[in-house]
Structure formats: structure tokens, C-alpha cells
Amino acid sequence: MKVMAQIAMVMNLDKCIGCHTCSVTCKQAWTNREGTEYMWFNNVETRPGVGYPRRWEDQVENKGGWVHKANGKLVPRQGGRLKGLANIFANPNLPEMSDYYEPWTYEYEKLLSAPKDSSALPVARPKSQMTGEHINAPEWGPNWDDDLGGSLETMQDDPVIAASGAEVKAQIENAFMFYLPRICEHCLNPTCVSVCPSGAMYKRSEDGIVLVDEDKCRGWRMCVSGCPYKKVYFNHTTGKAEKCTLCYPRLEIGEPTVCSETCVGRLRYLGVLLYDADRVGEAAATERDEDLYEAQRQILLDPRDPEVIEGALAEGVPRSYIEAAQESPIYKLIHEYQVALPLHPEYRTLPMVWYVPPLSPIVDEVTASGNDGEDGKILLTAISRMRIPLEYLASLLAGGNLAVTEKTLRRLAAMRSYMRDIHLGGEGNEEIAAAVGMTGEEIEAMYRLLAIAKYEDRYVIPNAHPEIERSLDDFRCSLDGTGGVGMGGPGFSGNKVMVELLPRRPGGTSV
């Protein structure tokens, strides 16, 4: 048993209001530079919808993640090392720029410089930030499906609907929607790291954060196609790959990520998990997609187990990390309460950003039928008939495992019903808790964490340690602005050169 630490995140989808504050603050902190205009390390998608980039979940086309072979081995879906080397100068498995969107600005200077006595009304035409050329009206963007805005045109293209076989009604009075915030999953078995020819992608041993070494990156973009979540981007100005860093400079001083800090709904949780690194390959190679959730959950170790503590110390895990793992809200939500699920475990990357599925529409549905939407017995029996199809959530968050998804939703429904009794002056019905395999005390503890947790309960983050040595060079920023180290250095000719290096599909646009 090799014990290692991983900083992970859980998001409670029942509390996301789709305000995009997390996306905007992340954009301002990390991708507010030339060459990163189209990058959104954090984005919030409306479901059902095709996401960003468009149809990122369609791995038949995108070739992301791992494939389980008949002999039990895992290989990257885009192919092994030989195939990767054969395509190194012309990677065919990349999203087109139209799948993201061509970022634009407006010619504001035309408004400012227009003569006062002009008879014509000045116009600020849209202008591409990629090529500098004028563009027509935008036809796609990172939030095209926002609040089902594009649902009638795009809903039928949602890969999760196709994979789950769920019936989704397009009529607005029968439709459902929920928000899905997404960042890099900082996986335990990341494909992006495995397929990188230059070794620039790496996973930090002390906390599991996946990063890009900008000095080693050669812009091959294998990581972009290898990531099934499409959360690695290519900077067309620097010729380097970039991705979410989980705000590691903030984590190292005990502060949460920017997206967590500014989240209006307080739906994000950060904490440390201890896991058995020797079993990562075994878990990822689990034969059936439906069993991957449980396989991943089983490699997470009990941070209070004396044997685990001894193993962690032997592997150099700081004691503060162990103590943080013992108080981790992530471990409680995933392992103790079992209400958090991984995003698309069937990609076999063992993602470390998990989600508490949404439940809200079921209460409205039950109430509309003339019944008490908060009654425990009625609520638990109505789970399978909830407005959001159970098959859809299972295909999105549990590898298609309906039983695991229903169990999670039943626990959330039981919490709602149990706490309603208490808030109305009752003592809490233990039968409701027992019906989902929990006690009333556990239900109340889960409620405190999910509904009313304080700042220090949601973010349990250990500080970085001096024994993890870093030189001053490790703290320099290689993305320090135009002309700096990360922007090509002195004499770099700018983004137009890099645009020409972007691959093109037959009849398609550049990436």
C-alpha cells in the first residue's frame, strides 16, 4: 500500500444558481492575457446541452480518456506511443475553433475617434481577437445553452441523452435543467499526462494537482485531445498548453481556489483525500463501466486508520495533510455519506472533482400532483419518477449505474424530509433515516455540511511545508505578459504566426 495525498473538490449541484461568478473570477485571475481569450478554466454549463467545447463528451469523435481492452489493459483512446508519434506534427483529434468559439472584441476606437459633425452614426464592428479580422454575428459561444437558450437547436446533440436513452421533453412546460460547473478534474489516472510526448504535463506528488511545465511544453497538443473533459487548452500566442492549476499558489497558503472563494451559492468543498496509489491502475481497469464508481471509492483510504497514518508518514505525507484529511468534507461526502459522484467515471481517468446530484425538481413535481412534496414516504417512492430522468444523471455521474444514482438521490431526499420535521418542531423521524441506511445523527451532520456549513467547514486546506523544497526559480511566472518568458520572449512575432500552426480538418476551421 502506497499512501498518497490528493486535494479534491466536491460541488453540490442542488445549490448552483448559474450566476457564472466562478467563471468570471477565474477568467480574471488566470486567462486575462493575450492568447487565452477563448480559454475558460472554469465554465458553467446548462444541462441538457452540448457543453463547452461543443460535444466534449463525444469520445468517439474526440478520442479522449482510456479504453479498456479485452486483455484487461488500458490504452489511451487516441492510440499508443507509436500512433502518437506518427501524428505528432498533425494531430487529427482536436476540437475545431468553431467548437469553442472565436473570441471577439469591438472597434471601440471608432466610437471615440468619430467626428462630432458626422452625419452617420458611428458603429463599433465586431473584430476577431484571434486574427484581427472583422467577423459576422457570432454563431456559437461558451454559454450558448445557458438557461436552455439553445436547447431546441442543440438538445438532440447532447451526448449524455444519446448514451442514456433518457426521454427528454423539449416543451418548455415539461423541460428540466440544472447547472454543471466544470474545471480540470486533476485525475488520479490522467490521460493528458500519459500522452504528452515532451513530459510537460505532470502530477504533483505532494497534492496531486496536474500542471503544465511551460518550459518543457512544445505545443504538440496531444494533451488537448487526450483529456476527455477538454480542459487543456492551446495558447495560440505562446504555443504552450495551459489548464486549470487548482489555484495552487492559494492552496499553498491555506486559501481556497478563486472559484470556490467567490461562489455565490457556496456549493464548493475542498479537502484532502488519502488514497492507495498502488491500486490506481487496478481501479481504472475495472471491466464494467457501472462498477467504476465503487472501484474508485474503494481506493480512498480512511485517514483515521492507524495503518493508513503510518503508511502516509512513511511516504513523506506531512502530518498536517493527514490531519486535514481527517477533517476533510470531501471524504465525508464521498465515503461516509456517499452522496457525491464522479463526472463520467467511464473515461477511466479517476476524476477528483465530484458532484452531489441535483434533487430540487422532484419536490415541485410531487407537490404539483397534489401530494406533500416533503413527506418522506412519498418523496422516496417518487425518486424514480423525478423530472430529471434518473438515466440522465446516471450516465453523467455514475457510469450508467442506476442503483448508485438512485441511492444517492434517496439519501438527499431523506435528508430534506427528516430536517423538515425538525424545523417544524418535531424530533426527526428515525424511520426516514433508516430507510436509506443512515441514522438521524448522520442525517443531521450531512445537513450541516451540505446546507449550512461555515467557511472553515467547507475548505479544509493544509499549508505548504518547508520540507517540500522549492527554489526561487519555481516561483517565477512564465506567463507574465506580452514579451515576457511565457509570451515567447523578446522578438516573438505574435499570435498571427501561431494561428498558422494550428491544425485544420478537411473543410474545417483552424483549432
Side-chain angles (χ1 to χ4, degrees):
M1 179 174 67
K2 182 177 181 179
V3 182
M4 296 190 71
Q6 170 77 41
I7 293 183
M9 181 182 289
V10 168
M11 301 191 212
N12 185 357
L13 299 185
D14 226 6
K15 297 172 72 177
C16 184
I17 62 175
C19 66
H20 302 279
T21 304
C22 52
S23 299
V24 173
T25 51
C26 175
K27 183 75 175 171
Q28 184 66 26
W30 290 103
T31 57
N32 192 20
R33 295 172 281 107
E34 184 180 350
T36 65
E37 295 89 351
Y38 80 105
M39 298 183 193
W40 294 87
F41 289 174
N42 183 111
N43 71 292
V44 182
E45 301 172 1
T46 297
R47 291 311 179 106
V50 295
Y52 174 78
R54 183 162 29 191
R55 291 180 59 82
W56 62 270
E57 292 158 301
D58 184 359
Q59 303 310 330
V60 174
E61 178 181 350
N62 292 317
K63 302 291 191 296
W66 301 88
V67 174
H68 184 265
K69 294 293 187 180
N71 59 6
K73 293 184 178 181
L74 292 180
V75 296
R77 189 180 294 271
Q78 69 179 34
R81 292 181 180 275
L82 290 178
K83 189 171 183 180
L85 289 173
N87 295 328
I88 199 167
F89 293 109
N91 185 356
N93 302 319
L94 289 170
E96 299 181 18
M97 181 52 68
S98 60
D99 293 326
Y100 295 99
Y101 72 110
E102 188 165 4
W104 70 91
T105 185
Y106 294 95
E107 294 178 312
Y108 296 108
E109 67 276 5
K110 294 291 179 69
L111 300 179
L112 299 174
S113 60
K116 294 181 180 179
D117 57 351
S118 174
S119 59
L121 185 68
V123 176
R125 295 180 62 187
K127 187 177 180 181
S128 170
Q129 290 181 302
M130 297 285 289
T131 64
E133 313 233 338
H134 291 114
I135 62 174
N136 296 321
E139 298 178 353
W140 188 254
N143 282 330
W144 209 257
D145 291 322
D146 198 28
D147 293 338
L148 298 182
S151 60
L152 292 181
E153 275 100 28
T154 63
M155 185 182 292
Q156 68 276 10
D157 295 326
D158 185 341
V160 178
I161 293 179
S164 64
E167 289 188 16
V168 177
K169 299 178 181 178
Q171 296 83 4
I172 194 64
E173 65 272 14
N174 296 318
F176 73 89
M177 74 174 190
F178 62 92
Y179 301 108
L180 180 71
R182 292 204 306 118
I183 64 172
C184 168
E185 296 286 328
H186 296 279
C187 308
L188 296 182
N189 187 38
T191 324
C192 60
V193 173
S194 298
V195 300
C196 177
S198 60
M201 301 285 294
Y202 67 99
K203 187 172 178 66
R204 295 211 309 188
S205 59
E206 62 264 35
D207 52 21
I209 297 175
V210 177
L211 297 173
V212 184
D213 185 335
E214 297 285 331
D215 293 327
K216 289 184 178 180
C217 180
R218 296 294 177 265
W220 302 121
R221 302 180 297 284
M222 293 297 175
C223 52
V224 177
S225 51
C227 174
Y229 303 97
K230 291 297 169 278
K231 278 298 176 182
V232 184
Y233 301 89
F234 178 67
N235 187 317
H236 58 86
T237 299
T238 65
K240 308 286 187 179
E242 294 190 31
K243 61 177 294 298
C244 161
T245 65
L246 205 63
C247 293
Y248 74 87
R250 293 176 59 90
L251 295 180
E252 289 180 352
I253 58 173
E255 294 185 1
T257 61
V258 169
C259 59
S260 300
E261 182 80 73
T262 59
C263 176
V264 173
R266 299 183 179 181
L267 60 98
R268 298 181 187 235
Y269 301 80
L270 278 165
V272 177
L273 293 172
L274 300 180
Y275 69 97
D276 186 355
D278 288 338
R279 295 173 57 197
V280 166
E282 174 190 341
T286 300
E287 185 174 355
R288 296 174 67 246
D289 289 349
E290 294 85 349
D291 298 331
L292 282 164
Y293 155 76
E294 187 61 29
Q296 183 172 350
R297 197 174 70 85
Q298 289 302 323
I299 67 173
L300 304 180
L301 302 174
D302 183 357
R304 299 184 182 278
D305 185 332
E307 185 179 350
V308 172
I309 295 174
E310 182 181 350
L313 293 173
E315 294 293 337
V317 177
R319 189 169 290 277
S320 64
Y321 272 65
I322 299 173
E323 293 172 354
Q326 292 171 349
E327 302 299 323
S328 172
I330 309 300
Y331 184 80
K332 293 174 184 176
L333 292 171
I334 293 176
H335 211 282
E336 294 182 8
Y337 306 140
Q338 298 180 31
V339 292
L341 302 172
L343 180 64
H344 287 300
E346 69 273 16
Y347 297 160
R348 300 177 183 274
T349 59
L350 307 186
M352 281 289 103
V353 177
W354 290 43
Y355 295 86
V356 177
L359 184 65
S360 298
I362 189 175
V363 176
D364 300 332
E365 186 76 8
V366 173
T367 303
S369 66
N371 295 297
D372 184 354
E374 301 283 359
D375 181 84
K377 292 182 179 179
I378 297 175
L379 202 55
L380 293 178
T381 56
I383 288 292
S384 61
R385 296 184 288 109
M386 63 187 295
R387 197 169 181 181
I388 302 176
L390 193 62
E391 295 82 2
Y392 188 92
L393 289 177
S395 184
L396 183 71
L397 298 173
N401 192 321
L402 292 172
V404 165
T405 308
E406 184 171 2
K407 175 185 175 182
T408 300
L409 294 172
R410 285 172 64 85
R411 289 196 165 196
L412 295 171
M415 178 188 72
R416 177 170 294 184
S417 183
Y418 183 92
M419 294 307 301
R420 199 264 312 242
D421 288 347
I422 292 179
H423 290 152
L424 292 179
E427 296 182 357
N429 188 345
E430 286 292 337
E431 291 183 3
I432 296 175
V436 293
M438 300 180 74
T439 65
E441 186 178 351
E442 289 174 329
I443 289 277
E444 290 190 52
M446 184 169 72
Y447 168 77
R448 284 193 295 272
L449 184 57
L450 286 176
I452 58 175
K454 296 180 179 179
Y455 187 94
E456 59 270 16
D457 297 322
R458 287 181 284 124
Y459 311 131
V460 182
I461 308 163
N463 291 347
H465 277 251
E467 61 265 28
I468 303 174
E469 293 185 5
R470 290 191 177 91
S471 66
L472 290 177
D473 285 342
D474 292 328
F475 290 95
R476 64 184 173 85
C477 179
S478 59
L479 300 171
D480 56 358
T482 303
V485 178
M487 306 302 286
F492 187 76
S493 56
N495 65 344
K496 291 186 179 180
V497 174
M498 293 311 303
V499 169
E500 297 303 318
L501 297 179
L502 298 171
R504 294 177 180 267
R505 289 177 179 170
T509 56
S510 61
V511 180

